[in-house]
Amino acid sequence: MSAQQPYSFFHSVERSFDKAAKFTKWDLGILEQIKACNSVYQMRFPVKRDDGSIEVIEAYRVQHSQHKTPCKGGIRFSDEVNQDEVMALASLMTYKCAIVNVPFGGGKGGIKINPRKYSEYELEKITRRYTSELVKKNFIGPGIDVPAPDYGTGEREMSWIVDTYGSLKPGEIDSAGCVTGKPITQGGVRGRKEATGLGVFFGIREVCNMEDVMKKLGLGIGVEGKTVVVQGLGNVGYHSAKFFREGGAKVIALAEYEGAIMNPAGLNEEEVFQHRKKTGSILNFPGATNLAKNTDALELECDILIPAALENVINGDNAPRVKAKIIGEAANGPCTPEADEIFTQKGILCVPDMYLNAGGVTVSYFEWLKNLSHVRYGRMEKRFNENMNMQIISQMETLTGKKVSEAGKKSIVHGADEQELVHSGLEETMISATREIMDLWKSNPDIPDMRTAAYVSAINKVATSYAELGIFP
Ligand code: GLU
């Protein structure tokens, strides 16, 4: 791509796809079908602002693939939203779901607004209108296309969506499954909010536990003691920072759009979050040094860099100055293909978005299953398991003549609740995906980087299910 051409995120995804397709055995036609975005819905609708003026809102929903249904992917609110971006993000969702064996096709939505510039009432009207536009065109539903939170949206927006959908589809018994990332009271699942950040942590922890990989990077094994820089203190960045800190790593810098702060002794994300809430800025946090530009944080000396905000933040221009040994892509598309080439030359390991941030959609899958089954996880077996464990302990005590301590008893007897089951399902998913991609990479040393290995895995899975469906007439 020449310097004059504007950056195309979708083109970046296509380039990474093509780079990986060479390592697969699939027909060109199948590869073209996998790459293409099946449906692109661009809409415009009016909203009356609080001051009485009318504004025309531009919004999108893209369904990249229906090789598995429903389509799945978040909805973002950002004034950077455009068709190219939503298409790229929808494609990434297809590959992401395939890698972690979540049986969905990829989708994504976007509304071109800066949510900070709208009142809560205006945002509610926009979200509800967007949902009814999707209903009108059959672009939403538990078996069709299931949105979720993304950049600029959260539980609040999801509850407006589920409520609007439910009121337009009275009697649809599975209507709660039309969107995920809902509050618990509206059919959400415990553990969804922190899911992406926790998944990022599980994925990177698994990489850090691989002796050969760490040796190559000149790092010791494990997350403990490693220095981490996180860009973005939204839901994903906040929780990534939290789990790294709790896992024994040191979060030495945090960045937000107004700037970045650094403290080699370590930062506590909750304290920084509260400081930002109080003062309106991440800057001037007690004990930390301000960095002039938020992008300066990306160039700090550290073991692990976590870009957790938007796409295209590490590119051909700044990648040569990146000093991290591992990059964990918590955001979607933070590093461009040019950056990938530079990382390969510099020996930096970039752990790719399309599986590393799959924790969100994985737990969305658990939420959707909960909605379809109409029962909370753990409800059927929690008490049964506790009774069974209690019996095992008393048998043990009778046979040995010794008593198990009260604390020991409590932890052994305990039956898993919803959040524990969700976290454990997520941990299993992220560990298996990490190993699968690493094994695939090792089995073919010509594959240049982990992103390409992840794409190869995704392409193989999507192509196999197309082949199984036999849908090519
Ligand atoms: N927006 C998140 C992502 O990009 C979550 C999508 C979902 O849960 O469907 O993966």
Side-chain angles (χ1 to χ4, degrees):
M1 199 167 50
S2 79
Q4 285 85 353
Q5 267 178 314
Y7 167 75
S8 161
F9 188 6
F10 186 63
H11 184 61
S12 275
V13 174
E14 287 192 310
R15 279 174 68 188
S16 301
F17 182 102
D18 293 340
K19 189 168 161 187
K22 290 194 215 99
F23 298 97
T24 72
K25 59 174 177 33
W26 302 98
D27 266 26
L28 195 64
I30 293 186
L31 293 169
E32 285 302 312
Q33 168 54 31
I34 296 174
K35 244 193 328 183
C37 277
N38 289 355
S39 323
V40 179
Y41 177 21
Q42 185 192 122
M43 66 187 100
R44 299 275 200 288
F45 54 80
V47 63
K48 191 182 264 173
R49 302 287 310 254
D50 292 345
D51 65 5
S53 64
I54 305 280
E55 191 179 311
V56 180
I57 304 288
E58 177 184 328
Y60 302 85
R61 183 74 191 173
V62 171
Q63 295 172 349
H64 171 257
S65 174
Q66 276 99 350
H67 73 287
K68 303 249 164 164
T69 47
C71 295
K72 189 83 191 79
I75 294 179
R76 63 171 53 183
F77 287 3
S78 145
D79 46 17
E80 303 294 317
V81 161
N82 57 64
Q83 185 172 317
D84 175 85
E85 181 193 61
V86 187
M87 284 168 66
L89 293 165
S91 320
L92 285 175
M93 287 308 302
T94 296
Y95 309 135
K96 190 184 299 190
C97 291
I99 291 174
V100 291
N101 299 320
V102 164
F104 295 142
K108 201 76 166 200
I111 304 187
K112 191 177 166 56
I113 52 165
N114 176 351
R116 274 179 249 269
K117 297 197 178 138
Y118 294 80
S119 69
E120 187 168 11
Y121 181 52
E122 290 169 336
L123 289 173
E124 178 169 356
K125 284 199 286 187
I126 294 169
T127 310
R128 287 186 181 276
R129 177 65 188 258
Y130 175 75
T131 310
S132 48
E133 293 300 323
L134 294 179
V135 170
K136 275 193 234 167
K137 292 279 192 289
N138 218 13
F139 255 69
I140 183 170
I144 299 169
D145 188 351
V146 181
D150 200 80
Y151 188 84
T153 58
E155 288 186 345
R156 181 183 65 174
E157 288 72 19
M158 303 308 118
S159 68
W160 292 330
I161 294 175
V162 73
D163 184 62
T164 309
Y165 183 87
S167 65
L168 293 171
K169 300 267 182 177
E172 194 176 293
I173 194 158
D174 292 328
S175 70
C178 76
V179 65
T180 58
K182 302 179 291 290
I184 308 298
T185 51
Q186 308 280 109
V189 74
R190 289 160 188 84
R192 173 64 184 83
K193 205 170 179 176
E194 65 273 31
T196 311
L198 184 57
V200 168
F201 171 73
F202 284 147
I204 296 290
R205 187 189 64 184
E206 190 57 22
V207 169
C208 290
N209 284 339
M210 294 175 169
E211 209 176 331
D212 51 339
V213 179
M214 288 303 103
K215 206 166 152 202
K216 240 187 179 159
L217 295 169
L219 293 170
I221 291 191
V223 156
E224 222 159 273
K226 292 213 164 40
T227 52
V228 181
V229 172
V230 180
Q231 185 216 26
L233 204 57
N235 181 40
V236 178
Y238 174 91
H239 284 105
S240 302
K242 174 180 188 296
F243 292 114
F244 274 107
R245 181 183 53 75
E246 289 176 358
K250 213 188 284 174
V251 180
I252 57 160
L254 288 167
E256 254 299 339
Y257 77 103
E258 67 273 13
I261 52 168
M262 181 185 167
N263 185 348
L267 292 160
N268 178 304
E269 72 297 328
E270 176 56 23
E271 288 169 11
V272 176
F273 182 80
Q274 290 306 332
H275 166 82
R276 187 167 189 246
K277 211 166 145 188
K278 209 165 71 200
T279 66
S281 168
I282 198 172
L283 299 170
N284 305 321
F285 180 72
T289 318
N290 292 338
L291 300 181
K293 289 189 280 134
N294 65 358
T295 46
D296 289 348
L298 301 169
E299 297 169 23
L300 288 172
E301 194 89 49
C302 64
D303 297 322
I304 305 169
L305 170 64
I306 305 285
L310 285 171
E311 60 266 19
N312 187 24
V313 294
I314 305 176
N315 44 45
D317 295 335
N318 61 353
R321 296 190 298 273
V322 168
K323 294 174 202 75
K325 307 254 178 15
I326 302 171
I327 298 175
E329 292 189 319
N332 287 308
C335 304
T336 64
E338 289 78 12
D340 274 345
E341 305 281 327
I342 296 163
F343 299 152
T344 306
Q345 283 161 25
K346 290 177 68 173
I348 294 175
L349 174 66
C350 180
V351 185
D353 51 358
M354 46 191 289
Y355 104 90
L356 190 66
N357 69 26
V361 75
T362 301
V363 175
S364 277
Y365 171 48
F366 301 155
E367 179 176 334
W368 180 78
L369 290 175
K370 176 187 183 183
N371 297 148
L372 300 192
S373 66
H374 300 259
V375 65
R376 163 173 56 79
Y377 287 100
R379 177 169 173 180
M380 303 302 282
E381 66 274 36
K382 186 175 192 295
R383 187 70 50 177
F384 178 85
N385 287 340
E386 286 180 357
N387 291 340
M388 196 59 117
N389 294 341
M390 201 60 203
Q391 279 184 42
I392 296 172
I393 289 185
S394 37
Q395 284 292 324
M396 255 168 58
E397 288 181 338
T398 316
L399 291 169
T400 60
K402 288 184 185 152
K403 287 268 170 224
V404 175
S405 73
E406 277 314 306
K409 213 180 251 177
K410 219 170 148 191
S411 78
I412 297 168
V413 166
H414 172 80
D417 61 25
E418 183 164 88
Q419 188 175 21
E420 290 164 317
L421 290 167
V422 162
H423 283 184
S424 139
L426 175 60
E427 185 172 15
E428 166 60 20
T429 304
M430 294 308 298
I431 290 177
S432 328
T434 310
R435 290 185 185 167
E436 210 174 296
I437 297 167
M438 280 295 191
D439 287 347
L440 194 150
W441 190 11
K442 278 178 209 160
S443 73
N444 190 342
D446 291 337
I447 295 180
D449 49 43
M450 197 175 175
R451 186 185 319 281
T452 308
Y455 266 97
V456 171
S457 162
I459 294 170
N460 285 339
K461 289 185 183 184
V462 179
T464 305
S465 60
Y466 267 129
E468 278 164 4
L469 286 170
I471 57 138
F472 298 108

